[in-house]
């Protein structure tokens, strides 16, 4: 396990995730000396790639502090479909009111795979949590890939898939907050991607956005995709995050998927979210072991 210079980690499960302790106030107000900031950035990048989910407890952050903190993980970028809060357009409110029925993003997904360079990671800061429920499930896509049969791996490894932003299942979860509901963004990416930091392969398809493999029709793709969508939900690959007010979570969007559970009707849940710029997914080379 990697040794970190500027942070202390406590793993929360064997699947993924670690609590991060010992963060000083300067970490959030942008006043860290440059050498310390650079050490922290490098530790955070490695810790996120290794543990996939970093959990900070009890952080009372203003919007400015949240944005400043996000800069230690990468470059904050706008989310294509939901406007940010007026004074901080890069901070997107994820809100479910007591009268709402849908929850934002309530289908298994990784973020923005319909972009040429999908988000590398995202931060979510819990502002208002329901009394019961409102957990988020995270699934480990390294494990999902590893657990596939050798013949399924051989089938999938050379393939790429098509991702749509307006696949019905996901589009309806953002209907009330969407900037431009008719806009459909489309991208093609490798089905098995190599993580830019760990070098490890992970499965990259999602129920929310993948419509077909690029060399097959949608009809021919469907049975394989349905099998994979069920596979990624297997409890063995999942960590269930129970939120607390002022908890802040950062997930590696390159090796995980998530599913916010919609089980708190009649209550309010408000999160502040920041997406971080990513790079074009790298295919996992065909000469690698599988
Ligand atoms: C999202 O998909 O970004 C929302 C996650 C959550 O609300 O827990």
């Amino acid at each position: 396990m990697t040794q970190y210079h500027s942070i202390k980690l406590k793993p929360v499960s064997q699947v993924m995730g670690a609590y991060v302790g010992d963060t000083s106030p300067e970490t959030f107000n942008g006043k860290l000396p440059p050498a310390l900031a650079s050490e922290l950035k490098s530790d955070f990048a490695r810790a996120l790639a290794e543990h996939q989910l970093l959990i900070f407890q009890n952080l009372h952050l203003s919007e400015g502090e949240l944005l400043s903190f996000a800069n230690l993980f990468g470059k904050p970028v706008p989310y294509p479909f939901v406007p940010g809060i007026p004074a901080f357009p890069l901070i997107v409110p994820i809100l479910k009111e007591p009268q709402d029925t849908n929850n934002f993003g309530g289908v298994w997904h990784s973020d923005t795979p319909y972009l040429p360079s999908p988000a590398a990671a995202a931060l979510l800061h819990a502002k208002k949590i329901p009394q019961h429920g409102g957990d988020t499930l995270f699934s480990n896509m390294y494990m999902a890939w590893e657990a596939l049969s050798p013949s399924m791996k051989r089938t999938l490894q050379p393939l790429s898939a098509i991702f749509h932003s307006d696949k019905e299942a996901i589009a309806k979860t953002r209907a009330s907050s969407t900037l431009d509901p008719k806009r459909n963004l489309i991208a093609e990416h490798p089905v098995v991607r190599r993580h830019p930091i760990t070098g490890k392969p992970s499965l990259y398809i999602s129920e929310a956005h993948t419509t077909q493999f690029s060399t097959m029709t949608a009809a021919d793709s469907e049975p394989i995709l349905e099998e994979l969508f069920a596979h990624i939900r297997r409890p063995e690959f999942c960590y269930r995050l129970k939120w607390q007010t002022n908890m802040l979570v950062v997930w590696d969007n390159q090796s995980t998927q998530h599913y916010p559970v919609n089980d708190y009707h009649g209550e309010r849940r408000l999160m502040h979210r920041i997406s971080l710029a990513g790079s074009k997914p790298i295919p996992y080379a065909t000469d690698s072991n599988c």
Side-chain angles (χ1 to χ4, degrees):
M1 205 38 76
T2 312
Q3 292 298 311
Y4 299 98
H5 303 292
S6 53
I7 50 174
K8 286 209 174 87
L9 298 181
K10 185 170 166 223
V12 294
S13 76
Q14 292 195 353
V15 171
M16 71 167 86
Y19 287 123
V20 187
D22 282 1
T23 33
S24 72
E26 290 73 34
T27 310
F28 308 103
N29 64 17
K31 294 198 177 129
L32 277 176
L36 259 183
S38 135
E39 189 171 72
L40 203 51
K41 280 182 188 175
S42 139
D43 275 354
F44 278 157
R46 279 183 304 122
L48 187 60
E50 192 165 304
H51 293 275
Q52 300 170 278
L53 185 69
L54 298 181
I55 306 167
F56 301 79
Q57 289 172 294
N58 215 19
L59 292 185
H60 296 257
L61 300 180
S62 67
E63 284 79 9
E65 288 170 328
L66 178 62
L67 195 56
S68 165
F69 186 56
N71 275 286
L72 294 171
F73 285 91
K75 180 175 181 277
V77 287
Y79 175 74
F81 287 97
V82 185
I85 56 182
F88 292 92
L90 296 173
I91 301 181
V92 169
I94 304 295
L95 174 64
K96 182 171 181 245
E97 294 283 16
Q99 68 276 13
D100 294 340
T101 48
N102 282 326
N103 66 334
F104 175 85
V107 185
W108 275 104
H109 67 283
S110 65
D111 296 329
T112 60
Y114 43 76
L115 297 178
S117 296
L123 290 83
L124 209 58
H125 188 215
K127 307 292 284 181
K128 174 85 181 79
I129 294 303
Q131 211 181 349
H132 301 290
D135 300 347
T136 306
L137 300 176
F138 289 88
S139 184
N140 182 330
M141 292 303 105
Y142 294 140
M143 286 184 167
W145 168 252
E146 276 312 314
L148 290 170
S149 68
S151 66
M152 182 58 104
K153 284 181 174 171
R154 273 193 298 277
T155 305
L156 296 180
Q157 198 161 10
L159 297 182
S160 58
I162 310 293
F163 297 82
H164 283 245
S165 65
D166 77 344
K167 202 176 163 188
E168 194 196 339
I170 191 77
K172 74 172 188 218
T173 77
R174 49 175 134 83
S176 61
S177 46
T178 300
L179 279 172
D180 180 359
K182 293 219 172 64
R183 186 163 59 134
N184 185 22
L185 303 176
I186 304 174
E188 178 175 339
H189 296 301
V191 169
V192 194
R193 63 183 291 184
R194 180 188 288 281
H195 195 283
I197 296 179
T198 64
K200 284 163 50 177
S202 66
L203 186 59
Y204 196 56
I205 49 97
S206 81
E207 188 173 348
H209 297 111
T210 311
T211 52
Q212 65 188 93
F213 297 109
S214 52
T215 49
M216 293 185 198
T217 62
D220 286 348
S221 305
E222 192 182 338
I224 308 174
L225 285 176
E226 288 300 328
E227 185 181 333
L228 294 174
F229 298 157
H231 176 74
I232 69 103
R233 295 194 291 262
R234 274 175 53 184
E236 293 85 350
F237 313 144
C238 291
Y239 174 71
R240 185 172 188 130
L241 180 83
K242 291 200 172 301
W243 290 96
Q244 286 160 11
T245 309
N246 294 316
M247 182 181 268
L248 186 150
V249 158
V250 189
W251 65 82
D252 177 13
N253 191 52
Q254 301 166 104
S255 63
T256 63
Q257 293 196 32
H258 54 281
Y259 177 85
V261 182
N262 192 9
D263 59 353
Y264 53 97
H265 299 304
E267 293 198 64
R268 189 169 201 259
R269 181 178 184 270
L270 173 64
M271 320 294 272
H272 277 178
R273 178 198 154 97
I274 296 183
S275 296
L276 300 177
S279 50
K280 202 170 150 46
I282 310 162
Y284 187 55
T286 45
D287 57 357
S288 311
N289 325 331
C290 89

